Amino acid sequence: MSCLSKILVLFFILFTLAAAGKKKSPNIIFIMSDDHTSQAIGAYGGRLSGLELTPNIDKLAAEGIRFENAFCNNSICTPSRASIISGQYSQTNGVLDLDIALPEEKQYLPKELKKLGYSTAVIGKWHLHIEPTAFDYYKVLPGQGKYFNPTFHEKGKGDYPNNKVKSEGHSTDVITDLAIDYIKNLDKSKPFFLMQHYKAPHDFFEYAPRYEDFLADTEIPEPASLYYQPNWGSEGTRGKNDNLREYIGTSVSNRHFYRNYNQHYNGDTLQGLDATHQAYQKYLKAYLRCVKGVDDNLGRLFAFLKEEGLWENTVILYTGDQGMMLGEHDLQDKRWMYDETMRMPFIVHYPEMIERGQVTDLLINNTDFAPTMIELAGGETPEYMQGKSFINTLQGEDETDWRTSTYYRYWMHIIHHYVPAHFGIRTKDYKLMFFYGKHYLPESEFKNHYWATQYYGIEKETPHTWEFYDLKNDPEELNNRYNDPRYKEIIAQLKKELKTQREELNETDENYPEIKAIIDKHWND
């Protein structure tokens, strides 16, 4: 063998050894269900944990890490999803409510992962009102989509939005089938990033027929605040002397004049406590049957990943796009800053990095998801993202210079579920909220809007009040302590932090002078 040949052979051997020693970047599957609240996941404990709802998600948590303090910055579908994709808060990414699209140029997460060599796809619910062009492949529901025989927009099937294809079956089953088929047919020489997003368990909770008997003979535990909570709320959420009790916040009982589950499920044939009880039982059973369908399908997906040899080198993240009121405070839907809807379930499974059975109380929010996934893929958090990576926590290490509070804001005011516009701040132990009670659009622009013809009184202001909760001693937020002198110094500190965060996050309402005037007037109330 010539000298040159020996050199080439040696070079080949060294190259092969180097390639073998180089670890492949992990695949990333980001699974999100719509409105799946942590109260309806066994691993999070609580009153529903004994119902055997989510064995597959519970096992995922037991083999990975469960976040106890994961929160959204706006508990409504489109803004929360926009924050996840962009890593930015609402005033920065521009998506304040359900009707605003996230611009293509701000679909940052898939763009950054493509730079790192990933193939990217989104399958299922998208709900950002514009074509997901930043992904290599998409097959997404139009808007909310249908529970049964859903139609999808699919890349490669024509020009958007006319690229519609039909399917048969329940959406949860269909979306899982599509995800599995997509992974089967991927080029496995490069890592993949898949956003697998379910419609379930969004209302009105159409579950697959096979779940009709699930929980049929079970009495679902009920929250005490469904019936009794004399110290909860403020004039901003109940009105003066409870004069807005029938108007603010859609209800399970027949409290709300227009939107309540007693009317929906019982047709007003029942009244009083029995009506509330029956409506709650029907509501929860329908919701939880949708949850059960999601969990069963995740079991199918996980089994497939193991069969394909993908389990060990795939990061699986599971969450909901926000929480959900399951009767707490006699409320339904989400939108509120109360913990049941602000808190997101968040579980990460990655055997090659994360030690089994970890639980963390690190205070994270949905703007942190994209930076963390980017760093898991080997990249660095872009400067334009306002969220922060918590990859150190996944590695079993401490975070440095981490936030001690998280900011929240609901913009829409009364629309759909009669929730007043509000913002606030949450620490691990306390929560401070301000209900400013006014839509961000000026009345002259708002009064001819579609919403104004659908919902009574939404152009009106509701009372401007503060609420404060001591979460350590009152985790169910039953006692508003804002006027309790024992908390005066703590509230002052929280207001200072709230003002700082609003300035740092571009949330100062300089473009909304009517709202700014309300805030300035009532800041020191």
Side-chain angles (χ1 to χ4, degrees), residues 149-350:
N149 303 328
T151 298
F152 294 86
H153 296 294
E154 183 175 7
K155 187 167 185 176
K157 300 296 182 180
D159 294 331
Y160 183 90
N162 299 316
N163 55 344
K164 291 184 178 181
V165 295
K166 297 180 179 179
S167 68
E168 293 185 3
H170 189 271
S171 67
T172 305
D173 300 333
V174 172
I175 289 167
T176 306
D177 289 339
L178 293 172
I180 290 173
D181 288 342
Y182 171 76
I183 296 170
K184 276 182 181 177
N185 296 311
L186 272 175
D187 174 7
K188 302 299 193 302
S189 66
K190 59 191 298 189
F192 66 85
F193 168 63
L194 170 63
M195 299 182 80
Q196 179 180 333
H197 291 181
Y198 292 112
K199 171 180 171 63
H202 191 279
D203 68 356
F204 283 101
F205 321 122
E206 297 177 36
Y207 48 86
R210 65 182 179 274
Y211 295 106
E212 185 64 39
D213 294 333
F214 179 63
L215 301 174
D217 300 322
T218 301
E219 187 84 355
I220 309 298
E222 301 176 354
S225 61
L226 175 62
Y227 299 100
Y228 184 73
Q229 46 177 350
N231 301 317
W232 167 79
S234 62
E235 289 186 13
T237 51
R238 301 170 62 147
K240 189 171 185 178
N241 298 320
D242 277 357
N243 69 334
L244 294 177
R245 185 174 177 274
E246 297 180 353
Y247 177 70
I248 291 179
T250 58
S251 58
V252 176
S253 74
N254 61 0
R255 171 183 58 78
H256 196 273
F257 81 104
Y258 173 62
R259 296 199 71 165
N260 66 75
Y261 274 146
N262 177 45
Q263 183 182 59
H264 176 73
Y265 287 114
N266 299 325
D268 289 332
T269 59
L270 298 174
Q271 296 297 320
L273 297 181
D274 186 51
T276 303
H277 170 71
Q278 295 296 334
Y280 177 85
Q281 294 296 316
K282 292 174 182 177
Y283 162 35
L284 261 290
K285 288 180 182 181
Y287 176 87
L288 296 177
R289 287 165 184 163
C290 288
V291 168
K292 180 63 172 171
V294 169
D295 189 79
D296 285 351
N297 272 278
L298 291 180
R300 267 200 316 132
L301 172 70
F302 299 161
F304 162 75
L305 293 173
K306 291 172 183 176
E307 290 167 4
E308 295 292 309
L310 297 170
W311 185 249
E312 295 295 322
N313 194 42
T314 297
V315 180
I316 298 174
L317 307 98
Y318 184 81
T319 189
D321 52 353
Q322 63 261 322
M324 185 76 171
M325 284 293 182
L326 300 184
E328 299 88 357
H329 307 299
D330 189 22
L331 295 172
Q332 44 141 313
D333 200 67
K334 51 262 185 179
R335 303 161 192 266
W336 298 94
M337 195 183 164
Y338 302 117
D339 262 18
E340 290 85 1
T341 75
M342 182 187 182
R343 175 177 278 113
M344 307 170 79
F346 195 78
I347 293 165
V348 186
H349 181 272
Y350 182 28

Side-chain angles (χ1 to χ4, degrees), residues 89 386 404-407 423-425 432 492-508 523:
Y89 291 76
Q386 295 170 303
T404 57
S405 60
T406 186
Y407 180 76
F423 61 76
I425 195 169
L432 179 68
Q493 292 170 6
L494 289 174
K495 282 190 178 182
K496 183 178 180 181
E497 173 65 15
L498 178 58
K499 184 177 181 180
T500 298
Q501 284 215 25
R502 281 172 54 78
E503 291 172 352
E504 290 177 350
L505 299 174
N506 186 34
E507 290 274 344
T508 54
W523 189 263

